[in-house]
Amino acid sequence: MTEPANTAHDEDGPLVSLCRKGDTDAFETLVKRHQKKMLNIAFRMTGSYEDACEIVQDAFVAAYGNISRFEERSRFSTWLYTIVVNRTRNHLKKAETLAGRREVSLDDPVRSEEGGICLEPVSAAPSVLETLEQREAQARVRQCINGLDKEFKEVLVLRDMQGLGYEEISSMLGLAAGTVKSRLFRARESVKNCLKKLIGRP
Amino acid sequence: MDCEKTRRLLHEYFEGLSSGEEKALVGEHLASCADCRAFLEDLRQTVLRVKELEEVEPPAWLTRKVMARIKEEHPVRGHLFGRLFRRFPAGLPVAAAATVVVAVFSVILMRSMQPDIGRVMPPVVAEKRQPASPHSETSVPAGAESQTGRSATRGKVEVHGERAVADRQRSVPEHQRLSEPREPTGSAVVPAPPAAVKAAGASPQDDISKENSTQGLDSKADSERPGLREKATKAGRTAGRTYERSVELRHADGAPEVIVTYEATAAGKKKIMEERFDEQGGRHGAHIAYDNAGRPWVEVRYEHGRIDWIREYDADGTLRRGKSGHPWPWLRPDLK
């Protein structure tokens, strides 16, 4: 299941070569190809759609400006995701500095989206509209993910939401594969416990 | 193998990443341990739920904005004609014709622009300046309308009409100024924004002092501030209305800002519009108009690196169109 950083079959390769020659149309194709994934990475890590849009824009502009430094040791997409992850990390760090560090223990009571503490699981009464229930459940999952510390959140986002390989993630984050795994496992267990607290089941 | 060790291995086991030996050991333990089987099932459900989370779609303007910024920061070097030739394989006549058209058009454009271009020194931006004395018109507040911290810090979102008029009055010579159908003071044409919206802003007080200080500026105070201000004004007549449009570039404290002011008079009614573009590409503008009874109303448009939205206020500050809450709640379920 792991995808090694395979550069031989990088489908972006020809377009990247064109970008190096100043072909902005080629870059536009790359933007269209990768913006959704990049946006979702930034969105899930920040929890803010508009912040994510800003981060993705900045990441693409930076990528174009530095495309000569892309050494093709990884896939182009990995390189792009690395930029977006780093920019999101910086963004979060800045936001943290502004707001003052708020330490959250994985065992803290679960906070509702309004900021209150959820003491009771959500009513178990069956919803008439299945979609509503599903949406509700999704909101709870989001809430649990948002409650994770950023180190744990980023591995969960990259692995379980974006389906990137362990090797790719560890090279992107500059972490040993073992660290990525242990963080991911803790993140999953934390989400699992959080969901149990909120809705009585994962 | 005990439960603790098994659970550490379960993550890779259920992803199918375990080595053959580990797989056998975990399988063996699972067969005899109901707790670990439940643990595995919970884990599987959790990851499934995370995977099933809906992805968000990028806004339609994202690509456009990225490409616009790239083209701005990395202008095409020299081979524009090469590109034209490539686009039109039978290219030479087309390119030649295009060149002639562009050249002729440029000359016409230059001629029409030239007399209007002026450079005004020094700048007029006094965001940080305090008024010498409290302004007498504090009842006319600025529209400090900020939904998010970002807007509050970066947006400097205000109802600009007041400043637009004040600026215009300072910078446009008396004889060029169009007659004012309403009260002559700039501030009088700007209705107050609703109190609820003001309350949502970061610090309406700051904006009030900003607005007042801008008005209270005199040319002596301006000259104390270094900077550059370039302004091109064009007046004309089109489709039964006279108009005056000015495009102004300001460098205030190192932050360039482009302000476009457009004032049109048609059938005795006047419209004033101001738009601002900052270095981030952010854009916000106020549009002041008079209804048939001569009452002013204001349309404020916001666009800040994302979806734009519009609000309209009556002269008394009542919001008559647009919502006062978060402009895109459907994208922010966490703010509901």
Side-chain angles (χ1 to χ4, degrees):
Chain A
M1 248 169 114
T2 45
E3 306 156 65
N6 185 354
T7 55
H9 302 295
D10 191 347
E11 55 175 351
D12 295 332
L15 287 170
V16 172
S17 306
L18 287 172
C19 292
R20 290 205 165 110
K21 292 173 193 153
D23 186 336
T24 49
D25 292 346
F27 194 72
E28 188 166 346
T29 310
L30 290 170
V31 171
K32 284 180 179 153
R33 193 176 282 174
H34 297 293
Q35 61 177 358
K36 184 170 174 184
K37 205 155 193 167
M38 287 169 71
L39 181 73
N40 275 280
I41 291 173
F43 175 56
R44 292 303 174 201
M45 279 171 73
T46 60
S48 158
Y49 186 78
E50 52 269 40
D51 287 356
C53 285
E54 298 268 336
I55 291 167
V56 171
Q57 275 186 59
D58 292 347
F60 274 123
V61 173
Y64 186 81
N66 291 297
I67 204 153
S68 57
R69 292 192 210 159
F70 169 56
E71 290 170 351
E72 292 178 31
R73 274 190 297 213
S74 66
R75 280 188 314 202
F76 182 68
S77 58
T78 307
W79 188 68
L80 277 180
Y81 303 158
T82 310
I83 296 175
V84 94
V85 165
N86 284 334
R87 290 199 163 241
T88 309
R89 280 172 156 188
N90 289 342
H91 172 91
L92 292 172
K93 209 182 279 172
K94 243 186 257 168
E96 234 165 47
T97 319
L98 283 175
R101 183 84 174 91
R102 196 178 122 258
E103 288 284 354
V104 182
S105 152
L106 290 173
D107 301 324
D108 269 358
V110 177
R111 301 254 161 205
S112 74
E113 287 177 354
E114 293 78 31
I117 296 171
C118 295
L119 298 171
E120 298 289 323
V122 172
S123 163
S127 164
V128 187
L129 297 165
E130 202 174 296
T131 49
L132 263 183
E133 194 184 50
Q134 203 180 338
R135 209 171 283 174
E136 183 78 2
Q138 289 214 345
R140 301 291 166 228
V141 180
R142 270 202 306 274
Q143 192 180 329
C144 290
I145 294 171
N146 287 345
L148 292 173
D149 270 358
K150 62 181 191 297
E151 294 85 351
F152 298 98
K153 203 189 290 180
E154 64 190 14
V155 285
L156 189 80
V157 167
L158 295 172
R159 174 69 193 158
D160 286 345
M161 298 174 88
Q162 299 300 330
L164 302 183
Y166 283 110
E167 278 178 42
E168 195 173 4
I169 296 170
S170 67
S171 82
M172 279 169 66
L173 301 180
L175 297 169
T179 313
V180 172
K181 281 181 190 170
S182 67
R183 283 189 186 174
L184 176 70
F185 301 165
R186 262 192 85 185
R188 282 174 180 167
E189 275 171 40
S190 169
V191 172
K192 189 182 80 180
N193 294 337
C194 170
L195 283 172
K196 272 192 170 170
K197 274 186 198 170
L198 281 178
I199 53 178
R201 62 194 154 83
Chain B
M1 203 164 63
D2 63 12
C3 290
E4 203 188 318
K5 201 174 173 200
T6 306
R7 288 177 189 191
R8 272 206 306 276
L9 296 172
L10 275 178
H11 291 269
E12 287 188 316
Y13 175 83
F14 98 93
E15 286 186 276
L17 299 175
S18 305
S19 67
E21 190 194 353
E22 276 173 0
K23 205 170 163 183
L25 282 170
V26 172
E28 198 178 302
H29 180 89
L30 281 176
S32 64
C33 179
D35 281 355
C36 284
R37 281 202 300 275
F39 184 95
L40 176 64
E41 189 48 34
D42 283 355
L43 188 67
R44 198 169 280 171
Q45 283 298 324
T46 304
V47 175
L48 192 70
R49 279 178 180 278
V50 171
K51 279 190 175 145
E52 277 177 349
L53 266 190
E54 269 172 35
E55 300 218 298
V56 289
E57 289 296 325
W61 48 258
L62 189 64
T63 309
R64 269 204 316 276
K65 211 144 214 170
V66 168
M67 296 318 295
R69 280 180 60 186
I70 284 171
K71 281 169 188 164
E72 192 184 298
E73 288 174 30
H74 305 274
V76 180
R77 296 174 303 269
H79 55 275
L80 180 67
F81 281 94
R83 287 163 69 91
L84 274 176
F85 277 87
R86 232 186 295 145
R87 292 262 161 90
F88 305 104
L92 191 59
V94 182
T99 310
V100 171
V101 170
V102 168
V104 170
F105 193 71
S106 310
V107 170
I108 294 170
L109 204 66
M110 290 285 283
R111 286 217 174 130
S112 68
M113 289 289 288
Q114 217 167 18
D116 297 315
I117 295 173
R119 181 174 282 206
V120 185
M121 290 282 280
V124 182
V125 167
E127 300 282 302
K128 287 171 192 162
R129 188 182 300 279
Q130 292 303 312
S133 63
H135 204 277
S136 59
E137 285 165 353
T138 46
S139 63
V140 180
E145 182 163 324
S146 308
Q147 270 64 46
T148 63
R150 177 170 299 276
S151 313
T153 52
R154 263 192 44 193
K156 293 184 281 174
V157 181
E158 304 153 73
V159 173
H160 293 292
E162 184 176 354
R163 188 185 281 177
V165 174
D167 286 353
R168 190 175 44 77
Q169 286 180 340
R170 261 198 318 280
S171 53
V172 178
E174 189 67 41
H175 66 274
Q176 281 187 21
R177 217 182 288 164
L178 293 172
S179 62
E180 305 256 358
R182 300 286 297 177
E183 292 101 318
T185 53
S187 56
V189 300
V190 180
V197 175
K198 265 195 289 169
S203 55
Q205 206 58 45
D206 288 350
D207 290 297
I208 290 169
S209 63
K210 270 184 218 164
E211 289 291 320
N212 286 338
S213 64
T214 310
Q215 286 203 339
L217 271 182
D218 57 27
S219 56
K220 191 181 158 210
D222 288 352
S223 65
E224 288 161 15
R225 297 177 67 79
L228 169 73
R229 185 173 159 209
E230 278 179 60
K231 184 167 177 165
T233 305
K234 187 164 174 60
R237 189 177 172 81
T238 177
R241 65 176 68 164
T242 56
Y243 69 88
E244 182 185 300
R245 185 179 53 220
S246 67
V247 180
E248 195 175 343
L249 167 70
R250 288 181 186 177
H251 280 269
D253 302 325
E257 189 178 39
V258 173
I259 300 147
V260 179
T261 316
Y262 181 84
E263 182 183 306
T265 309
K269 271 180 265 170
K270 194 163 83 158
K271 275 186 171 184
I272 301 164
M273 197 183 88
E274 192 198 76
E275 285 182 296
R276 283 169 186 241
F277 304 84
D278 61 23
E279 61 185 328
Q280 315 277 353
R283 174 169 150 158
H284 36 279
H287 175 116
I288 306 166
Y290 297 92
D291 64 17
N292 288 333
R295 288 183 301 259
W297 57 272
V298 170
E299 178 188 285
V300 187
R301 198 193 54 226
Y302 302 87
E303 183 189 324
H304 221 86
R306 54 200 179 203
I307 298 159
D308 52 348
W309 74 102
I310 288 172
R311 279 176 196 154
E312 282 179 18
Y313 301 107
D314 282 332
D316 61 358
T318 318
L319 185 70
R320 68 178 201 189
R321 189 176 146 222
K323 280 191 194 162
S324 60
H326 194 279
W328 46 90
W330 58 93
L331 294 174
R332 294 291 306 270
D334 52 337
L335 288 179
K336 264 181 197 159

